[in-house]
Amino acid sequence: MQRFNMTRSGVAALLLACASSHAFAIENGPAPTFSSVQADGPFAVSTQTVRGSGFGGGTVYSPNTAGKYAVVAVCPGFTATQTSIALISRRLATHGFVVVTINTNTVYDYPASRANQLLAALRTVTALTTGPVAGKMDTSRQAVSGWSMGGGGAMLAAGMTPGLKAGVAFAPWSLTNNVGSSAVPMAYLAGTADTVAPASVHSSVFYNATPATTKKLIGVIQGADHYFPGTASQPASYTQVAWMKRFLDGDTRYSQFLNGDTRFATFRSTGPF
């Protein structure tokens, strides 16, 4: 392990959708730089509203450029709505992903319910045949992300859905984890000033529970409180972009942004990636 110092419903259907192999690497966009990965990407995006069974609806962000893009579902936290994760999710879409931010059935849903809702959103979005997203999804490449209890939901969804290609959990909160045998690459991002989901009680526990044989990363951001994913803040945003590029697209050009930067946070990982 390297250390870096930095300031059951529907699951089978998703597995089938994700099961087909895909040639790697997919290079959507020009060669990245540290500056470019921190800003909006090269893709202008359109939005459309989506409603479906099993979650509270959401917004789909999709690149305007023709092509096939991986699909990411993103879940907010306890008492929050999709607006709380809109900026960091839209930023991800501009780097060449189809991203759906969801509302939950109720704002009080716990992580296990949020996990199922993330999977329901993926099923719904990948079935769309109208709107700007139509024809632009590679359903063999799907991932989940989330903040707070939504981050806990992303972790739980990854733990029960081996067909997923990646997951990112921002300030994740959950009283349980199921990642002890998970092979889905997971990134956990937390803040040193978070009193809602302290890293020592949540993110570090989840990281340690994830097998050493699984690609995993934890970053504890100096000075960040529980609400850092409310904007496209750094290093959270560029780490999510790089993680999804590396494991959804297989694009190793982004590995350089996952292997340590001493300015922002304390990182541990099973890298280099």
Side-chain angles (χ1 to χ4, degrees), residues 27 31 62 102 127 158 200 220 228 270 272:
E27 296 184 350
S62 58
I102 73 168
S200 61
V220 184
F228 67 87
T270 53

Side-chain angles (χ1 to χ4, degrees), residues 3-271:
R3 294 177 181 270
F4 305 102
N5 294 316
M6 283 182 72
T7 7
R8 246 132 288 271
S9 168
V11 171
L14 180 61
L15 286 174
L16 289 173
C18 294
S20 62
S21 61
H22 204 289
F24 277 359
I26 297 162
E27 296 184 350
N28 281 332
T33 65
F34 190 59
S35 294
S36 71
V37 81
Q38 294 183 80
D40 278 357
F43 296 92
V45 298
S46 294
T47 63
Q48 68 191 88
T49 299
V50 63
R51 290 178 172 81
S53 175
F55 69 110
T59 302
V60 181
Y61 300 86
S62 58
N64 292 342
T65 304
K68 292 290 187 179
Y69 304 96
V71 186
V72 185
V74 190
C75 184
F78 193 66
T79 75
T81 67
Q82 64 172 317
T83 59
S84 65
I85 50 169
L87 294 177
I88 201 167
S89 299
R90 182 191 175 281
R91 169 69 55 81
L92 179 62
T94 68
H95 284 271
F97 297 95
V98 170
V99 181
V100 55
T101 58
I102 73 168
N103 287 318
T104 47
N105 290 323
T106 81
V107 295
Y108 306 110
D109 293 335
Y110 268 59
S113 175
R114 291 168 191 264
N116 286 319
Q117 292 181 61
L118 281 165
L119 298 177
L122 287 173
R123 291 193 300 273
T124 296
V125 171
T126 54
L128 289 173
T129 57
T130 59
V133 77
K136 293 179 180 175
M137 291 174 285
D138 180 350
T139 60
S140 72
R141 296 183 290 130
Q142 299 182 38
V144 288
S145 181
W147 164 55
S148 192
M149 284 196 186
M155 171 189 65
L156 297 177
M160 68 189 202
T161 318
L164 292 173
K165 300 302 184 187
V168 174
F170 297 113
W173 189 104
S174 180
L175 296 178
T176 62
N177 72 74
N178 63 342
V179 290
S181 61
S182 177
V184 177
M186 281 296 303
Y188 304 98
L189 295 164
T192 59
D194 190 342
T195 60
V196 177
S200 61
V201 180
H202 295 276
S203 294
S204 291
V205 173
F206 308 149
Y207 175 86
N208 291 334
T210 305
T213 52
T214 295
K215 297 299 185 183
K216 61 178 180 176
L217 173 150
I218 182 171
V220 184
I221 303 165
Q222 294 294 333
D225 62 17
H226 190 61
Y227 302 96
F228 67 87
T231 65
S233 62
Q234 306 300 352
S237 179
Y238 84 70
T239 299
Q240 172 169 247
V241 169
W243 192 259
M244 295 302 187
K245 283 286 192 178
R246 174 64 185 86
F247 294 107
L248 272 180
D249 289 357
D251 192 342
T252 56
R253 298 179 301 171
Y254 288 81
S255 297
Q256 61 186 303
F257 310 115
L258 297 171
N259 293 320
D261 185 320
T262 58
R263 291 174 292 178
F264 297 117
T266 299
F267 270 67
R268 288 183 291 153
S269 78
T270 53

